[in-house]
Amino acid sequence: MMHKSKTLTSTGGPLVILPKLNANIWQGCVDLKEDEHYSLACNQIDYLSVLSIENIPAIILGDEPLPTFVLFSGSTIFIFRTYYINENVNLDAHLEKIVLSFSNLEIIEQLVLNINHDEWIMFDSAYSYHDYTDLEYININLPFNDCCNIKTYKYETDDVSLLFHVFQQA
C-alpha cells in the first residue's frame, strides 16, 4: 500500500533532511556567510548529497527548488521532486508505475548512508528547525537498520517530469 505525503516547497534553496532528534542543530540562513549551514547546502552540486553537521548526517536535496513530496511504499521510501505535472494527468497511475518498475530506469546518482535514527524530518534549508510549524515540514520514518542505499532517478513522459530518490535497506 502506498501513502503520499503533503507537498513541500522551498523559498528558493535546497531542502534538508535531518534526524528529527538532532534537527535543532540546523542553523538555516543567518548572514549568508560561507560556513553557515544554508550556504553549505547551496554549494552542493549533486541532486542529493550529505553534509556532516556536528557529526550528524544532513541530507541535502540540491539542484532546483522543486515542489517535493514523499511516497511510502512498504519499506521503500520515495522522495519525488516535481519538474512538471500536466493539469489533467492521473499522477497516481504514474507513481504506481514508478514504484513497480523504477529499477529498470537509469541510476543518476547513488550513495550509501549509515543511519542511527529512524525518525527524520525534511524542511527548507533556509530556516532553522525552530522556525517551523506543523505545515512546513514532512516527517520521514526510515525503517532501516544501520545502512541505507539512496538512488536517484528521472522519470519523464509527455505529461510528467519527476526527479526522485529511492531509500532502501542496503
Side-chain angles (χ1 to χ4, degrees):
M1 178 175 200
M2 297 188 311
H3 169 70
K4 183 177 166 248
S5 75
K6 63 188 171 200
T7 298
L8 186 65
T9 58
S10 79
T11 55
L15 296 174
V16 61
I17 305 170
L18 287 158
K20 192 169 188 175
L21 183 66
N22 305 108
N24 60 342
I25 65 168
W26 190 260
Q27 299 167 349
C29 178
V30 182
D31 298 321
L32 283 179
K33 293 181 181 174
E34 276 182 30
D35 61 345
E36 75 179 5
H37 297 158
Y38 178 73
S39 294
L40 294 171
C42 288
N43 288 332
Q44 301 304 301
I45 58 172
D46 295 328
Y47 292 115
L48 186 141
S49 56
V50 179
L51 294 174
S52 180
I53 307 293
E54 298 179 25
N55 295 316
I56 303 297
I59 301 170
I60 307 299
L61 301 182
D63 194 36
E64 300 177 46
L66 302 170
T68 302
F69 62 91
V70 180
L71 183 73
F72 304 91
S73 178
S75 62
T76 303
I77 310 295
F78 296 83
I79 298 180
F80 286 95
R81 302 168 68 200
T82 307
Y83 287 112
Y84 69 82
I85 300 174
N86 285 345
E87 189 175 318
N88 296 320
V89 72
N90 180 352
L91 180 60
D92 288 343
H94 285 280
L95 296 177
E96 196 170 306
K97 180 179 179 182
I98 291 169
V99 167
L100 294 174
S101 63
F102 71 89
S103 61
N104 296 326
L105 297 172
E106 180 182 349
I107 299 169
I108 298 172
E109 295 174 344
Q110 181 174 351
L111 64 86
V112 175
L113 178 64
N114 291 321
I115 59 172
N116 296 322
H117 308 279
D118 57 351
E119 291 186 26
W120 293 66
I121 188 163
M122 179 170 58
F123 56 94
D124 186 343
S125 66
Y127 300 97
S128 74
Y129 176 64
H130 297 293
D131 293 331
Y132 280 89
T133 66
D134 286 339
L135 299 176
E136 298 170 318
Y137 63 81
I138 296 175
N139 286 309
I140 303 171
N141 290 319
L142 297 177
F144 312 125
N145 297 324
D146 301 327
C147 221
C148 179
N149 193 2
I150 308 170
K151 296 177 184 175
T152 301
Y153 302 87
K154 278 189 180 175
Y155 174 84
E156 294 182 314
T157 68
D158 291 340
D159 295 325
V160 177
S161 180
L162 302 166
L163 176 74
F164 66 99
H165 312 284
V166 179
F167 290 63
Q168 294 179 304
Q169 178 77 43

